[in-house]
Amino acid sequence: MANESANEREAGGGRRWSSGRWTTVAIVAVVLGCALTTLDFLWAFLRAPMVSGANLSDGQAAIINGTVVSTRLLFSQKIFYFHVPVAIVSFCFIIAAAVYAVMFLARRRESYDLRSRLCMLVGLVFIVATMISGDLWTRHDWGVWWVWEPRLTTYFILMLLVIAYFILRAAVEDPETQARFAAVFAIVAAIDAPISFFITRLVPSSIHPVVIRTDSGLPPDMLVPFLAGIFGMALVGFGFFRLRLTLEEQAMEVESLKRSYEELLD
Amino acid sequence: MDPVLEEVYSTVLSGAPYVIGAYALIWVVLMVFVIMMLNRSRKTQKDIDALRESIERRKERTSRPDDVPTEGRSED
């Protein structure tokens, strides 16, 4: 690659110090993220109010804490507090992968390709987590494990695109060609992320609700766990990305040591 | 229990396992990723240590040219 010398410099002593510092930051981010998501879960499970579901039979009503309730209260909606944050983080990573891919195509630096690949990898982990949590919600509320409605379909396509990205990388041997093809594919795949996000607005008949709205007016008991979930999952994702990057740097060190050893043998 | 309240709260018991399951499974997925990273890190660290040791040994050997290399020497 055009920046081989820059990468070599990056692989030197300066990087090692910064790598150690980043590892500490990553671990702190993951621990903090775990704490926030635990708070999210406990708050959601124990404190967040339940939302209204179907009307009670025969038009009956009950008075709970001075409020007239004429609908069933949906407990399963509490999945929202961690399913949506995980989905948002997955979108962010796919978009970040595309941004790094654009940067790679513009500057041809190997480090951008590496970061793009890792964003895709962490994005895939969060996509799988979103799919599983969403499936449980779908099973309880809609009575089926899967339904081909617009949000689920576009998100499923996104997952397939991310998997295809790794298949493409594995199929191309030449590192430079692989990075170039993968960068273009990452950008194409990322187009599906905003489509999937906005599809509930674009297709009003979708049974998937529009979650992020300016008029949602979430009360503090719902907003606090939701925000804790978003920040917690974002921190966990960031921590994973940095830890994985450290691993890749270690792998680069192995390659560098192998080269040194081979030079000694010659 | 009041039959109306029973209907109002009818989704709580059926929904709770799904809520707990969703949260738990998200963490299972994330933990699998962490375990994979830890395993890879351990393996890479082992490789780094082994390579460093080999390089050190090789350097020691090359810095003492009078020494007879042990590699390939048959046991008498």
Side-chain angles (χ1 to χ4, degrees), chain A residues 58 63 69 76 82 87 91 116 169 173 198 251 257:
Chain A
D58 305 328
I63 296 174
V69 178
S76 60
F82 23 94
F91 285 137
S116 180
R169 288 201 81 108
E173 274 184 27
F198 288 110
L257 285 170

Side-chain angles (χ1 to χ4, degrees), chain A residues 16 34 37-38 41 45 50 56-57 60-62 64 69 71-76 78-79 82 86 121 125-126 128-129 132-133 136 139-140 233 236 240 243-244 247-248 250-251 253-254 257-258 260-261 264-265, chain B residues 2-5 7-27 29-31 33-34 36-38 40-45 47-49 51-52 54-56 58-59 62 71:
Chain A
R16 220 168 280 164
C34 289
T37 51
T38 306
F41 174 73
F45 200 83
M50 287 184 273
L56 295 177
S57 51
Q60 295 183 92
I64 302 168
V69 178
T71 58
R72 289 182 185 187
L73 296 176
L74 294 177
F75 193 79
S76 60
K78 288 172 187 275
I79 293 176
F82 23 94
V86 172
L121 182 65
V125 172
F126 278 84
V128 171
I132 292 173
S133 56
L136 286 175
R139 180 75 186 95
H140 185 268
M233 285 300 172
V236 169
F240 282 5
L243 287 173
R244 196 67 173 73
L247 258 180
E248 292 295 329
Q250 282 181 339
E253 195 179 345
V254 169
L257 285 170
K258 272 182 188 168
S260 305
Y261 188 67
L264 279 173
L265 288 177
Chain B
D2 182 335
V4 179
L5 284 178
E7 196 180 349
V8 168
Y9 292 114
S10 60
T11 70
V12 174
L13 277 182
S14 65
Y18 287 89
V19 176
I20 297 168
Y23 182 75
L25 286 173
I26 285 172
W27 275 103
V29 172
L30 299 180
M31 282 304 118
F33 186 64
V34 169
M36 283 164 71
M37 277 201 294
L38 286 175
R40 193 169 161 190
S41 174
R42 213 169 292 143
K43 191 177 168 291
T44 312
Q45 199 53 53
D47 287 351
I48 289 172
D49 292 343
L51 277 163
R52 276 196 185 137
S54 304
I55 289 170
E56 284 305 311
R58 194 79 204 172
K59 273 182 183 166
T62 48
E71 266 177 32

Side-chain angles (χ1 to χ4, degrees), chain A residues 79 82-84 86-88 90-91 123-139 144-149 151-161 163 192 196 208, chain B residues 21-22 25-26 29:
Chain A
I79 293 176
F82 23 94
H83 168 72
V84 177
V86 172
I88 289 173
S90 75
F91 285 137
L124 181 61
V125 172
F126 278 84
I127 286 172
V128 171
T130 306
M131 288 294 247
I132 292 173
S133 56
D135 258 358
L136 286 175
W137 198 356
T138 306
R139 180 75 186 95
V144 288
W145 286 107
W146 186 260
V147 55
W148 292 102
E149 66 92 43
R151 167 61 66 76
L152 267 65
T153 308
T154 49
Y155 199 73
F156 181 66
I157 291 169
L158 183 66
M159 187 177 80
L160 293 182
L161 285 169
I163 292 169
D192 190 45
S196 183
H208 216 101
Chain B
L25 286 173
I26 285 172
V29 172

